[in-house]
Amino acid sequence: MTLTGRYIHAWESYWGDTPEAPGEAIWDSDPSLTAAPHLKLLAPYVDAALPVVDLGCGNGTQTRYLARHFPRAVGIDVSHAGIAHARRADTAGTVEFRQLNATDTVAVRELHKRLGDSNVYLRAVIHQSDPPDRPLIAAAVAELVGERGRAFVVELTAEAKTVLRDIMREPGGPPPKLARVFAHGLKPAESEDHEVPDLLRASGLTVLADGRTTLAQTEFRADGTRIELPAQWLIVGRTG
């Protein structure tokens, strides 16, 4: 079973229509607002000698930051267009970017065989995936971490859907970067809050730590304040 054709087409269309300048994707925030604080939360639990896999890396902004803290960094994404963005932006060649369908269990298993147990960074992937694909994404996290790795998972909460709806109704209409997301058929904040930890536990992982946060966006409200979407974070791995 693999990701639906609708989902793949939506992401190819989105990245094909998104300019390559930093911050053009609404979630393409500076790592100082995203991967850096996430890595601080993960640090007490992680073996930094293992590789890191950015699952759903998009244009690779966060992956390039993660590559500064692990001996090997791999960014994977379902979208060929997204990976093309990422490779062009990685002028220093610090990351291995490859197109890979995270619900393709054979491909994920082969990646694990090649890398060994790895740390995983999963940011805002499950919440906008189609429901049948969500267990497979959680299973991909479990496969990649193996016995020794740890994963940092951060996903929008149901509250984020209300925030997005309110922003869409603001005077002047939705900000352009947010409008582009919906124009390409992407569906943010579609999962329930309990679903993400439940899926990870069902895949054999233990929740080692969790909490609430917000995900800073690169777009702003009509009053000039940065859009920040409610989210939950979890650190997971195998124990025992």
Side-chain angles (χ1 to χ4, degrees):
M1 183 176 182
T2 58
L3 291 166
T4 62
R6 181 209 67 79
Y7 183 88
I8 294 172
H9 174 76
W11 279 110
E12 291 291 0
S13 175
Y14 175 84
W15 282 117
D17 190 45
T18 299
E20 294 195 10
E24 284 294 334
I26 191 170
W27 50 78
D28 190 30
S29 53
D30 189 89
S32 64
L33 301 174
T34 310
H38 296 163
L39 193 54
K40 287 182 180 179
L41 291 167
L42 179 62
Y45 301 89
V46 75
D47 180 351
L50 297 179
V52 64
V53 177
D54 187 358
L55 199 166
C57 66
N59 65 349
T61 298
Q62 311 308 318
T63 331
R64 294 194 300 276
Y65 176 84
L66 294 170
R68 293 157 49 186
H69 300 273
F70 295 90
R72 185 177 185 182
V74 178
I76 62 175
D77 199 275
V78 70
S79 169
H80 291 275
I83 290 297
H85 276 253
R87 287 174 175 161
R88 286 190 290 268
D90 186 27
T91 55
T94 59
V95 179
E96 176 188 344
F97 288 108
R98 58 181 298 179
Q99 188 277 335
L100 188 144
N101 184 336
T103 68
D104 184 339
T105 56
V106 174
V108 173
R109 190 175 302 119
E110 287 300 317
L111 181 61
H112 178 241
K113 287 180 181 178
R114 186 161 64 85
L115 295 177
D117 290 356
S118 302
N119 300 307
V120 174
Y121 184 62
L122 184 76
R123 178 175 67 110
V125 174
I126 293 175
H127 76 91
Q128 43 74 24
S129 300
D130 290 335
D133 297 324
R134 294 171 191 165
L136 295 172
I137 294 170
V141 173
E143 176 71 30
L144 292 170
V145 301
E147 297 299 323
R148 297 186 297 143
R150 296 290 184 262
F152 187 90
V153 178
V154 59
E155 296 285 346
L156 297 185
T157 62
E159 184 185 356
K161 192 170 186 177
T162 302
V163 174
L164 288 168
R165 186 182 300 117
D166 291 344
I167 294 170
M168 294 287 287
R169 294 171 177 168
E170 286 186 353
K177 296 175 190 176
L178 180 58
R180 190 188 305 143
V181 170
F182 288 102
H184 288 277
L186 301 174
K187 301 176 180 179
E190 285 296 316
S191 64
E192 296 298 326
D193 294 2
H194 67 85
E195 184 175 2
V196 173
D198 287 352
L199 288 170
L200 294 166
R201 290 189 183 101
S203 71
L205 297 171
T206 299
V207 176
L208 304 172
D210 60 8
R212 295 285 169 152
T213 186
T214 59
L215 286 179
Q217 308 295 295
T218 64
E219 192 62 277
F220 297 82
R221 295 175 179 268
D223 63 6
T225 58
R226 182 185 294 275
I227 295 173
E228 295 184 336
L229 298 178
Q232 61 176 323
W233 61 268
L234 306 98
I235 295 170
V236 298
R238 286 195 171 85
T239 57

